[in-house]
Amino acid sequence: MSLRLPADVADHLAALSALTGQSKTFCATEAIVEHIDDLEDGVMPTTVVRLGSRRDVYRR
């Protein structure tokens, strides 16, 4: 996957990377994962996903 970020977002990401000592990829991945989790919590109801007879996984 490749993303083309607006200049101000890219600058913000670079500053955050420098401040934390983490790579820009790490910072961007963390932000995306957190945002997806927030979207799922607010939009998707909790459901049970059946994975054969071995176990059930609860998803949002």
Side-chain angles (χ1 to χ4, degrees):
M1 169 190 277
S2 91
L3 300 170
R4 203 170 294 253
L5 299 173
D8 62 325
V9 174
D11 292 344
H12 192 147
L13 183 60
L16 180 62
S17 173
L19 181 67
T20 62
Q22 299 290 340
S23 69
K24 290 187 284 185
T25 298
F26 177 85
C27 293
T29 300
E30 290 297 305
I32 291 168
V33 168
E34 185 68 28
H35 186 68
I36 289 172
D37 287 346
D38 290 347
L39 286 174
E40 287 178 344
D41 288 345
V43 175
M44 300 175 71
T46 302
T47 59
V48 177
V49 177
R50 301 266 178 210
L51 298 177
S53 60
R54 293 180 14 190
R55 63 185 174 152
D56 294 339
V57 175
Y58 293 88
R59 293 182 53 188
R60 289 190 181 261

